[in-house]
Amino acid sequence: MKLDIILAGVGGQGILSVATIIGEAAMNEGWQIKQAEVHGMSQRGGDVQSNLRISDQTIHSDLIPLGKADVIISLEPMEALRYLPYLNKETGWIITSSTPFVNINNYPAAEQLDAEYEKLPRVVRIDVEKLAKDNGSPRSANVVLLGAAQKALGIEYQKLEDAVRRVFARKGEAVVEANVNALKVGLENS
């Protein structure tokens, strides 16, 4: 088993929480993980990216080589495209929010983003913010996206749910249940 994941977004979206949940699920299975994070200007609006490598074998580097990522999970559609050179062109998946976080003057038009995504064979674009809001937990859009990525990740749903429960346990039962619900919503809408 080997899984190379790039997680991308902007500060404040919760992409590192998604990395924590996936890492927790992997470690609970006894798999090895290595993670490298780039926070950039990680306050709200700055680039945030993480390389997460999971394997049942020894992992020698925490960085994913060009063309080797199995999955790119992004809470921002342009950020996903930024890491496209790292995606395995034959088998890789992009799972991304369809809603842009427009934080720069020259942000591409929606039509330009759509055209780039149309060129790619394995993409799931989902409006995670709307789904999270419609389901009563607007702060859990990141976990909705994780639910949408479950099949591409190949990690059993129950293992991800168990990890969500462990990661959010210290925040109380209401937060745990909101995030478990968000995970289910993402899975059902992917």
Side-chain angles (χ1 to χ4, degrees):
M1 185 279 175
K2 179 193 82 63
L3 185 61
D4 286 338
I5 308 162
I6 292 179
L7 298 114
V10 296
Q13 290 185 309
I15 201 67
L16 298 179
S17 293
V18 171
T20 300
I21 295 165
I22 295 170
E24 173 74 19
M27 286 191 308
N28 198 50
E29 285 301 303
W31 298 331
Q32 298 196 24
I33 68 167
K34 285 206 184 260
Q35 182 176 3
E37 298 173 1
V38 176
H39 294 275
M41 294 180 61
S42 61
Q43 74 273 9
R44 183 163 290 281
D47 175 39
V48 176
Q49 180 265 340
S50 177
N51 281 233
L52 183 59
R53 305 189 81 188
I54 302 170
S55 180
D56 57 3
Q57 309 276 318
T58 300
I59 303 168
H60 297 286
S61 173
D62 53 358
L63 297 177
I64 299 170
L66 289 171
K68 298 297 182 182
D70 299 300
V71 183
I72 294 174
I73 299 173
S74 181
L75 278 154
E76 207 295 316
M78 189 177 76
E79 290 298 322
L81 293 173
R82 177 192 310 248
Y83 296 101
L84 198 55
Y86 290 89
L87 188 66
N88 181 321
K89 301 292 187 248
E90 295 173 18
T91 60
W93 278 88
I94 294 180
I95 315 297
T96 186
S97 172
S98 60
T99 306
F101 185 93
V102 181
N103 58 350
I104 55 175
N105 292 336
N106 59 347
Y107 194 95
E111 297 78 24
Q112 288 177 284
L113 291 176
D114 291 344
E116 290 302 314
Y117 278 108
E118 290 297 319
K119 297 175 189 175
L120 304 170
R122 287 166 299 284
V123 175
V124 174
R125 291 174 72 195
I126 182 170
D127 190 344
V128 294
E129 282 112 31
K130 181 178 183 325
L131 287 169
K133 191 179 296 183
D134 289 351
N135 285 280
S137 56
R139 297 188 64 202
S140 62
N142 59 335
V143 182
V144 171
L145 188 65
L146 176 58
Q150 182 270 325
K151 292 173 189 158
L153 291 170
I155 298 174
E156 291 178 36
Y157 174 83
Q158 191 59 51
K159 292 177 184 353
L160 289 174
E161 181 179 317
D162 293 345
V164 165
R165 290 183 183 282
R166 287 189 300 275
V167 167
F168 291 107
R170 65 181 172 80
K171 294 189 176 191
E173 193 59 30
V175 173
V176 169
E177 291 309 314
N179 281 284
V180 166
N181 183 51
L183 189 70
K184 288 177 188 170
V185 166
L187 178 67
E188 292 166 357
N189 287 280
S190 62

